[in-house]
């Protein structure tokens, strides 16, 4: 199978399974895309795409940077998180902008995901930036036990994820889940033959010799008058008629 077909077939399989088991099959089809949005695991965009016949469809975007360094159950949480946004758009009342309101939070809990601003117990359930974690013995985990067996996988993954993404995966609560298939809670980067190469962002210090070049320099004339001006200028003092000498000279 071709990588594009394989990847989207797997994500569509997961979408259909969650739609059937968590939403009673009510959700319309949508276009799932892979997007590397910084600091974002995924997003929902209503009516984002149109076809040549004028029909519209929603978009659910998933960030593939997480595929190799995050438990697959976390990827599924992201997918279902966005599916709840899709459900609310069609059957509820979405909050303004990116706001996750109480209706959205209540639906998340009803299907087995606890909304949390920290992604951990104790976080706020509503707000602009809300993550989630799986509720023990909740409906979401029950569906995952059937779906995330060795027969289901995300075959392709990003080999060069950012170190921040990798760190978030290592600290995921999904790694600690019990009574789940190993394939659901393990991390690809930790497995034998993994080709994941974590990328570390380096901050480059731009310097000139031992110090940065100044944008303004202090100049002094023979009578002691000081001025500040850009480096390399030539100017004379109107009092003593001597040329101002800069600190760089």
């Amino acid at each position: 199978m071709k990588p594009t077909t394989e990847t989207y077939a797997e994500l569509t399989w997961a979408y259909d399974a969650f739609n059937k088991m968590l939403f009673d099959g009510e959700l319309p089809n949508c276009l799932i895309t892979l997007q590397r949005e910084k600091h974002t695991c995924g997003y929902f965009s209503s009516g984002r795409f149109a076809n040549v016949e004028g029909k519209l469809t929603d978009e659910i975007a998933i960030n593939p940077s997480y595929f190799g360094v995050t438990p697959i159950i976390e990827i599924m949480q992201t997918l279902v998180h966005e599916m709840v946004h899709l459900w609310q758009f069609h059957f509820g009342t979405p909050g303004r902008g990116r706001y996750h309101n109480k209706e959205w939070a209540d639906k998340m809990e009803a299907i087995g995901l606890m909304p949390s601003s920290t992604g951990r117990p104790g976080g706020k359930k509503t707000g602009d930036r809300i993550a989630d974690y799986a509720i023990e013995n909740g409906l979401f985990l029950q569906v995952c036990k059937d779906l995330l067996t060795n027969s289901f996988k995300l075959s392709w993954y990003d080999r060069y994820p950012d170190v921040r993404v990798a760190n978030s995966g290592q600290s995921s609560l999904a790694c600690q889940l019990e009574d789940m298939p190993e394939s659901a809670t393990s991390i690809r980067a930790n497995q034998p033959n993994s080709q994941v190469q974590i990328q570390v962002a380096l901050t480059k210090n731009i310097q000139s010799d031992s110090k940065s070049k100044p944008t303004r320099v202090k100049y002094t004339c023979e009578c002691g008058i000081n001025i500040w001006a850009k480096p390399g200028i030539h100017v004379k003092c109107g009092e003593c008629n001597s040329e101002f000498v800069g600190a760089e000279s």
Side-chain angles (χ1 to χ4, degrees):
M1 189 177 290
K2 297 179 180 179
T4 300
T5 304
E6 197 168 20
T7 298
Y8 285 98
E10 290 163 351
L11 290 172
T12 300
W13 183 8
Y15 180 92
D16 290 343
F18 287 123
N19 186 16
K20 177 181 179 181
M21 302 304 296
L22 300 181
F23 300 90
D24 296 324
E26 291 183 337
L27 302 187
N29 292 322
C30 70
L31 183 57
I32 299 175
T33 64
L34 300 181
Q35 305 284 351
R36 285 191 182 87
E37 291 282 340
K38 287 187 177 180
H39 311 299
T40 301
C41 298
Y43 64 79
F44 166 73
S45 184
S46 61
R48 185 59 181 262
F49 287 88
N51 68 6
V52 294
E53 298 173 352
K55 296 180 179 179
L56 302 182
T57 193
D58 308 312
E59 176 189 23
I60 286 181
I62 305 293
N63 190 338
S65 299
Y66 291 83
F67 286 13
V69 291
T70 301
I72 191 171
I73 198 167
E74 278 274 9
I75 309 303
M76 297 299 100
Q77 285 178 219
T78 298
L79 175 62
V80 173
H81 177 123
E82 305 309 331
M83 290 174 71
V84 175
H85 282 299
L86 187 150
W87 167 85
Q88 189 177 41
F89 175 77
H90 289 279
F91 304 105
T93 306
R96 52 103 184 113
R98 295 184 177 183
Y99 190 78
H100 300 70
N101 62 17
K102 186 177 184 299
E103 180 187 62
W104 176 89
D106 289 345
K107 183 65 173 180
M108 287 281 284
E109 284 193 64
I111 63 173
L113 288 176
M114 180 62 70
S116 169
S117 57
T118 63
R120 296 180 176 277
K124 294 182 179 179
K125 296 181 182 181
T126 60
D128 287 327
R129 298 186 66 84
I130 301 295
D132 54 76
Y133 60 91
I135 298 173
E136 187 176 358
N137 298 320
L139 186 56
F140 171 78
L141 287 184
Q142 293 175 31
V143 176
C144 285
K145 284 183 180 180
D146 294 330
L147 175 66
L148 303 181
T149 62
N150 291 330
S151 62
F152 178 87
K153 59 184 180 298
L154 294 178
S155 300
W156 297 90
Y157 59 93
D158 186 353
R159 292 179 57 208
Y160 305 104
D162 184 85
V163 65
R164 179 192 60 81
V165 174
N167 288 339
S168 70
Q170 294 289 340
S171 61
S172 169
L173 290 181
C175 297
Q176 305 171 22
L177 290 172
E178 299 179 353
D179 300 324
M180 293 295 296
E182 183 180 356
S183 59
T185 58
S186 62
I187 296 177
R188 180 73 61 90
N190 298 338
Q191 298 173 1
N193 303 319
S194 170
Q195 298 187 47
V196 174
Q197 300 178 32
I198 308 302
Q199 302 298 296
V200 180
L202 299 177
T203 302
K204 184 177 180 182
N205 294 320
I206 302 175
Q207 297 181 332
S208 176
D209 296 327
S210 61
K211 61 182 180 180
S212 300
K213 289 185 177 180
T215 57
R216 290 291 183 269
V217 174
K218 181 181 178 180
Y219 293 87
T220 306
C221 68
E222 290 183 0
C223 64
I225 297 175
N226 298 319
I227 64 170
W228 290 84
K230 65 180 182 180
I233 68 166
H234 297 280
V235 96
K236 286 187 177 182
C237 174
E239 297 293 331
C240 63
N241 201 36
S242 67
E243 187 168 329
F244 280 93
V245 178
E248 63 176 7
S249 299

